[in-house]
DNA sequence: CGTGTTCCTGACCGTTTGGTCAATAATTTC
DNA sequence: GAAATTATTGACCAAACGGTCAGGAACACG
């Protein structure tokens, strides 16, 4: 029998410990590449004890994914339809880049999952995520039609923001290998670049 | 004893068959997630026969990676210092997007490798790749200084091109799940977007 | 043809993997 | 503090894994 919903303080603590350890291991190795022994060792628990809190390796993985997907989409939901178009998008870019810096493990977890065909979250991509993106694209189109935003395909614009910001988490080894600077500098110069770049591309021709 | 360099026609054919099958399996599952049985089955050979042509699973993987890395960087080398700055970069973007469309398996192979820390090719990233990028960035800076190109951090500009173009191969499941169109349309609209987007961002203010 | 080489396979091996289970230890509850 | 519940573990298992090997089949070449 496995715990479904944490009731005691020990359950709360250990479930969190396991999920945190699993995030390390899964984000570094992908689902198939990760092992329960690694997760258990990283969590400081025995393997049977890990399986006392989660029924299987897959249960840990899906618990991680579903718990994180919400947080992951928050920056997109935070775009204010009443705000200035260019400012809102630049702020969104900034929030996404901040997430890559603060939560690189989460970013790589999703990267691994999606590169390998998103077998565990394909439904949520084609459902809730698609709906959220559709809504945002409608807003972007309104901004473009009213002349507040340079006209582009809104879907590909969002893809470009995802790609350019998550790149600094998912492909960090490559970025670090080429720039040969510390993390702070990498993300600092990246923030400046993305701000200038998207500002220049998105600011509509005035009056 | 394992074959080092193909001599007979059978060796040539079977080594190629194995590498092609391995590309399928590794790009879908990453190195650790892939198994020799999968590769053998996909190649239509027995597992011992696969190991007759390659000494180990790792040998197949490194043969794939090193054989592909060269091809992967060709588009960057093809930038003509004598050409028009904006046109050359737009053409580069186009070539990279074409590679994502024509060689998605190769793109995902590298994506898997780099997301998981690039353990097999970190040397080539910090060596030859860095040198190539350094050279290209020097060219980009010259173009920027002479007013042929809008001024940006050249390194992050290249990163943005890698990110936005490879996104369509590496994260294709997500793109397809949101756009809900066929592959041709996805890449067609992506090409249009990237062309317009980079043109607008990179074209310098005239005289 | 025959003979040497290349090619291929079934059977096998040691290890790792995800997962089970009975027994015990720790904690909570009355 | 005893009973009931929760937490933890060592020992174990079947399957999957990467890899080996002896021997046979197919092929090249005189």
């Amino acid at each position: 029998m496995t715990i479904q919903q944490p009731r005691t303080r020990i359950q709360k603590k250990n479930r969190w410990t396991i999920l945190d350890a699993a995030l390390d291991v899964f984000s570094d190795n992908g689902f198939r590449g990760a092992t329960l022994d690694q997760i258990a060792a990283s969590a400081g628990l025995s393997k049977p004890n890990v399986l006392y809190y989660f029924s299987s390796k897959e249960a840990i993985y899906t618990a991680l994914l579903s718990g994180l997907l919400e947080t992951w989409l928050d920056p997109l939901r935070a775009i204010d339809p009443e705000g200035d178009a260019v400012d809102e998008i630049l702020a969104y870019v900034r929030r996404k880049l901040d997430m890559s810096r603060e939560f690189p493990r989460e970013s790589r977890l999703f990267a691994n999952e999606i590169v390998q065909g998103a077998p565990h979250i394909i439904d949520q991509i084609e459902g809730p995520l698609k709906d959220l993106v559709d809504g945002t694209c409608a807003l972007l189109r309104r901004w473009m039609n009213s002349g507040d935003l340079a006209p582009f395909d809104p879907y590909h614009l969002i893809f470009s923001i995802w790609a350019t910001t998550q790149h600094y988490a998912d492909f960090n080894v490559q970025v670090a290998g080429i720039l040969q600077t510390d993390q702070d500098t990498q993300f600092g110069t990246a923030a400046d670049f993305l701000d200038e770049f998207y500002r220049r591309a998105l600011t509509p021709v005035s009056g």
Side-chain angles (χ1 to χ4, degrees), chain A:
Chain A
M1 174 200 45
T2 315
I3 280 81
Q4 303 290 353
Q5 203 158 357
R7 307 198 173 280
T8 76
R9 69 186 162 84
I10 297 182
Q11 281 174 31
K12 225 174 201 166
K13 187 192 69 173
N14 280 351
R15 276 183 67 99
W16 192 90
T17 303
I18 292 168
L19 287 176
D20 188 64
L23 182 52
D24 271 338
V25 177
F26 282 131
S27 66
D28 275 352
N29 302 95
F31 176 72
R32 286 218 54 185
T35 72
L36 280 172
D37 293 276
Q38 280 177 287
I39 295 170
S42 176
L45 300 171
S46 67
K47 186 167 67 173
N49 204 9
V50 168
L51 288 166
Y52 172 72
Y53 290 100
F54 293 91
S55 59
S56 68
K57 174 182 167 182
E58 182 130 7
I60 305 176
Y61 188 69
T62 54
L64 255 186
L65 276 182
S66 63
L68 255 34
L69 199 60
E70 285 302 300
T71 323
W72 207 242
L73 297 177
D74 279 346
L76 193 56
R77 275 188 275 260
I79 294 178
D80 179 11
E82 307 298 320
D84 175 76
V86 174
D87 287 347
E88 284 299 320
I89 296 180
L90 291 180
Y92 173 58
V93 170
R94 188 58 196 257
R95 283 194 298 273
K96 282 291 287 177
L97 186 64
D98 284 345
M99 294 199 71
S100 281
R101 188 185 58 224
E102 287 172 43
F103 308 109
R105 296 182 303 171
E106 286 81 347
S107 188
R108 282 199 298 269
L109 184 81
F110 284 118
N112 266 306
E113 169 71 11
I114 293 171
V115 168
Q116 300 188 7
H120 299 84
I121 54 170
I122 185 68
D123 290 346
Q124 287 158 73
I125 287 174
E126 293 175 348
L129 175 57
K130 176 178 164 28
D131 294 343
L132 180 59
V133 172
D134 283 343
T136 307
C137 284
L139 171 62
L140 292 180
R141 250 195 258 276
R142 265 179 272 133
W143 275 336
M144 290 170 187
N145 288 336
S146 62
D148 294 312
L149 199 64
F152 289 110
D153 183 313
Y155 288 93
H156 290 284
L157 177 57
I158 289 179
F159 292 154
S160 83
I161 295 173
W162 290 350
T164 51
T165 54
Q166 292 175 10
H167 188 82
Y168 292 97
D170 303 343
F171 294 73
N172 182 264
V173 188
Q174 199 177 46
V175 170
I178 289 171
L179 289 186
Q180 303 273 17
T181 59
D182 61 299
Q183 287 253 74
D184 284 353
T185 311
Q186 290 166 32
F187 277 95
T189 53
D192 291 344
F193 167 80
L194 290 175
D195 192 82
E196 291 170 34
F197 194 73
Y198 276 98
R199 186 185 303 278
R200 195 162 204 274
L202 294 178
T203 304
V205 285
S206 58

